[in-house]
Amino acid sequence: YAVDQGKAHGMGMHFAIFEPGWLRNVTAYWHAGRLSPGSFVKFYFGGPYGVLARGRGVTFGLPPTLTALAAYREILELEQCDLPWFSAVVGGDLIDSPVARATVEQGGHLRVGLEDHAGDRTPSNVELVEEAAALCREVGRPVATPSQAVEILGLPARASDPAITT
C-alpha cells in the first residue's frame, strides 16, 4: 500500500535497508516498475554500540566494513538496479568507519547525525555534517545544494498534488 501510494502521489520513497534481504524486496519492486522517481535505499550498518544493546556489539545486519558495503553494492549490481544509495552507521561513527570514504568514492551518499551516532566522541550534529562535507571535498565530490539533491534523486521540483504540503 505504501509503495503504491508513494507512486500515486509522486513521492520519492526512502527504503531503510537493515538486512540484505530487505534490499532484495526493494529491487523486486523496482523491477516491477512500482517505485516512484526519487526513491532511494539507505544501507544501515550496525555499529558497535548497537540499538538496544546491553554491551558492545553489532545487534542487527552487517557491520560497517568494506566487505559489507560490497555485499550491498553487489546485490544492486546483480539486480542491475540503479537506485541512488546512502550509507549510515546506527550505534557507531560513520565518518570513522571505512564505509564513509568508500561510499563517497563509489558514488553513494552519506547519512550523518546524532540520531545514529554513538561512541567515544561526542560531536554536535553540525560537526558531523561538517566532517561529512570535508570528506566529500577530500574525495572530490562537492556537497549538493538542496536543488541539486532534488535533481540527483530525480524528485519532482514541487509536489503536483495539492494534498501534499511542503
Side-chain angles (χ1 to χ4, degrees), residues 49-75:
Y49 297 93
V51 177
L52 304 175
R54 293 187 193 148
R56 280 182 65 94
V58 174
T59 58
F60 70 88
L62 301 173
T65 65
L66 295 178
T67 300
L69 176 61
Y72 281 133
R73 297 270 292 126
E74 185 172 23
I75 291 170

Side-chain angles (χ1 to χ4, degrees), residues 6 23 35 43 67 75 77 91 109-110 115 119 127 135 163:
L23 184 55
L35 300 185
F43 305 143
T67 300
I75 291 170
E77 184 180 314
H109 309 281
L110 303 175
E115 179 181 2
E127 289 170 324
L135 175 61

Side-chain angles (χ1 to χ4, degrees), residues 8-160:
H9 292 286
M11 297 183 298
M13 297 190 67
H14 153 234
F15 293 94
I17 307 300
F18 285 95
E19 304 282 349
W22 296 17
L23 184 55
R24 293 215 178 270
N25 290 336
V26 174
T27 61
Y29 279 107
W30 182 81
H31 277 294
R34 297 202 32 211
L35 300 185
S36 54
S39 294
F40 59 91
V41 294
K42 245 182 233 171
F43 305 143
Y44 284 99
F45 298 95
Y49 297 93
V51 177
L52 304 175
R54 293 187 193 148
R56 280 182 65 94
V58 174
T59 58
F60 70 88
L62 301 173
T65 65
L66 295 178
T67 300
L69 176 61
Y72 281 133
R73 297 270 292 126
E74 185 172 23
I75 291 170
L76 288 178
E77 184 180 314
L78 290 171
E79 294 295 329
Q80 299 177 345
C81 179
D82 63 358
L83 284 172
W85 56 278
F86 290 68
S87 290
V89 175
V90 176
D93 189 336
L94 174 64
I95 298 301
D96 277 349
S97 79
V99 168
R101 176 176 287 278
T103 294
V104 176
E105 289 175 344
Q106 293 174 27
H109 309 281
L110 303 175
R111 171 192 157 107
V112 295
L114 294 178
E115 179 181 2
D116 297 343
H117 184 84
D120 298 330
R121 296 188 320 124
T122 56
S124 69
N125 205 46
V126 169
E127 289 170 324
L128 290 171
V129 171
E130 288 171 345
E131 290 170 4
L135 175 61
C136 291
R137 282 190 301 276
E138 198 176 302
V139 171
R141 282 192 59 209
V143 175
T145 65
S147 60
Q148 289 169 328
V150 165
E151 184 179 327
I152 289 166
L153 293 174
L155 290 165
R158 84 168 43 154
S160 59

